[in-house]
Amino acid sequence: MNINSTLKFILNLAKAQTIINRRFDAKLSSYGLGFNDFVILYHLSLAPHQKLRRIDLAEKLGLTASGITRMLAPMEKIGLVSRESNERDARVSYAVLAPGGKRLLEESIKTAEHAAADTFPELKTKKIKKLSELLNEIGGLL
Amino acid sequence: MNINSTLKFILNLAKAQTIINRRFDAKLSSYGLGFNDFVILYHLSLAPHQKLRRIDLAEKLGLTASGITRMLAPMEKIGLVSRESNERDARVSYAVLAPGGKRLLEESIKTAEHAAADTFPELKTKKIKKLSELLNEIGGLL
DNA sequence: GTAAAATACTTGAGTTGTCAAGTATTTTAC
DNA sequence: GTAAAATACTTGACAACTCAAGTATTTTAC
């Protein structure tokens, strides 16, 4: 019952990611954030006017539009993000980084970086580039 | 609001894995399997006597023991795995690959391999090795 | 040999997503 | 300019986990 090495690799990837996710969730829980909450705040902070369409947010995280709707609802309720409409296209609803979200991102970012460093202690810049390229083969597709 | 490259890499990894998981779930759903169901069957098929303690299964997938309990329950109900106790240690309950599970694994394995090949079309053995080493930095920890 | 610690597993309650379907709006193509 | 297709988003129903706490058993250490 053998499988080829690409599939084996994907099994390893899945395992690693499961552990990483749980670890980051645990570390960030002191801020009341999940890993993906953090990632949403991060992408919003980089975006022009610190806002993104829900669908672009979905693309950046690899989630579905539905998932983004679910995630943003409680974040909006506690003032991390707010909602803004687009004058030219009534279908669109932006997620905007709210002051509370910006503050929380600033507070939590060091924690996230430490968690990353703990996870990959000796990850060098060169290696990262190569790996990221590889991951783009998937990330870029969808 | 910049972050270091290790954290950025982890964000890419998370995105890729989210997409991979959804894709595999979709492909395997024609067999009534989720991605992790498939992985459980696969690990059981490789194990001595095709059985594993729940906790070892948890370790192999990167899940918690609780998660394994939840996953195995429906799989047991439909005859993919069965339960076996350990005579020497009454705490232990093995998950055993049942005939139905073995058959389903054999049927689905090509689908999973194709999904893997589609995801990383030109993944060479060398690259895999490097990336897998890196992933062991986490996978090995827990 | 017994108390304390560790291990294996399960369960209740909650979270974080998924998919399929539906609504509203915009774009395309003729 | 209008019908059909595409796009953006939301919702109901559900799946696949998590953590914290609990039970049962085994191991450790004195």
Side-chain angles (χ1 to χ4, degrees):
Chain A
M1 213 79 78
N2 232 348
I3 61 178
N4 69 40
S5 49
T6 303
L7 181 51
K8 211 172 281 183
F9 167 64
I10 285 182
L11 263 48
N12 285 336
L13 198 66
K15 175 183 175 183
Q17 188 53 43
T18 301
I19 295 171
I20 288 175
N21 244 303
R22 203 166 46 246
R23 181 179 295 186
F24 273 76
D25 276 347
K27 296 266 188 186
L28 290 169
S29 72
S30 53
Y31 300 97
L33 290 176
F35 179 44
N36 277 341
D37 295 322
F38 174 83
V39 180
I40 285 177
L41 294 179
Y42 168 68
H43 282 298
L44 288 178
S45 80
L46 292 182
H49 306 101
Q50 307 200 317
K51 70 184 180 186
L52 283 171
R53 300 186 310 164
R54 275 143 161 76
I55 192 129
D56 295 327
L57 219 33
E59 199 282 333
K60 282 182 187 300
L61 302 221
L63 295 178
T64 62
S66 170
I68 293 294
T69 295
R70 308 277 192 203
M71 298 212 52
L72 287 178
M75 295 178 74
E76 203 176 332
K77 203 170 294 181
I78 61 176
L80 302 184
V81 301
S82 57
R83 178 182 292 259
E84 203 176 291
S85 59
N86 180 326
E87 293 182 353
R88 308 214 166 187
D89 190 338
R91 292 171 303 182
V92 167
S93 141
Y94 289 104
V96 191
L97 186 61
K102 186 167 186 174
R103 186 169 6 92
L104 202 53
L105 177 61
E106 281 162 358
E107 284 174 24
S108 59
I109 208 156
K110 287 297 167 203
T111 298
E113 288 186 338
H114 284 141
D118 289 350
T119 303
F120 293 109
E122 29 169 331
L123 193 51
K124 303 290 193 324
T125 310
K126 278 184 197 169
K127 280 191 181 178
I128 295 176
K129 286 241 164 148
K130 278 192 183 174
L131 300 173
S132 291
E133 273 172 32
L134 197 68
L135 292 175
N136 275 340
E137 283 190 31
I138 333 158
L141 282 183
L142 208 122
Chain B
M1 213 79 76
N2 233 347
I3 62 179
N4 69 39
S5 47
T6 303
L7 181 52
K8 212 171 283 184
F9 169 64
I10 285 181
L11 261 48
N12 285 336
L13 200 65
K15 176 183 174 183
Q17 188 51 44
T18 301
I19 294 170
I20 288 175
N21 245 302
R22 203 166 45 246
R23 180 179 297 187
F24 274 74
D25 276 346
K27 296 267 188 186
L28 291 170
S29 72
S30 52
Y31 301 97
L33 290 176
F35 180 43
N36 277 341
D37 295 322
F38 173 83
V39 179
I40 284 177
L41 295 179
Y42 169 67
H43 282 299
L44 288 178
S45 81
L46 292 183
H49 306 99
Q50 307 200 318
K51 69 183 180 187
L52 283 172
R53 300 186 308 164
R54 276 145 161 75
I55 193 132
D56 294 329
L57 218 33
E59 199 281 333
K60 282 182 187 300
L61 302 221
L63 294 178
T64 62
S66 172
I68 293 294
T69 296
R70 310 277 190 199
M71 299 212 51
L72 287 178
M75 294 177 74
E76 203 176 331
K77 204 170 294 181
I78 62 177
L80 302 184
V81 300
S82 56
R83 178 183 292 260
E84 202 177 293
S85 59
N86 180 325
E87 294 181 351
R88 309 217 166 183
D89 189 338
R91 291 170 303 181
V92 167
S93 141
Y94 289 103
V96 191
L97 186 61
K102 187 168 184 171
R103 186 168 5 93
L104 202 53
L105 176 61
E106 280 162 358
E107 285 174 25
S108 59
I109 208 155
K110 288 297 168 203
T111 299
E113 288 187 337
H114 284 143
D118 289 351
T119 303
F120 292 109
E122 31 168 327
L123 193 51
K124 304 291 194 322
T125 310
K126 278 185 197 169
K127 281 192 182 179
I128 294 177
K129 285 242 164 146
K130 276 193 185 175
L131 202 45
S132 289
E133 275 172 30
L134 195 69
L135 292 175
N136 274 340
E137 284 190 31
I138 333 158
L141 282 182
L142 206 117

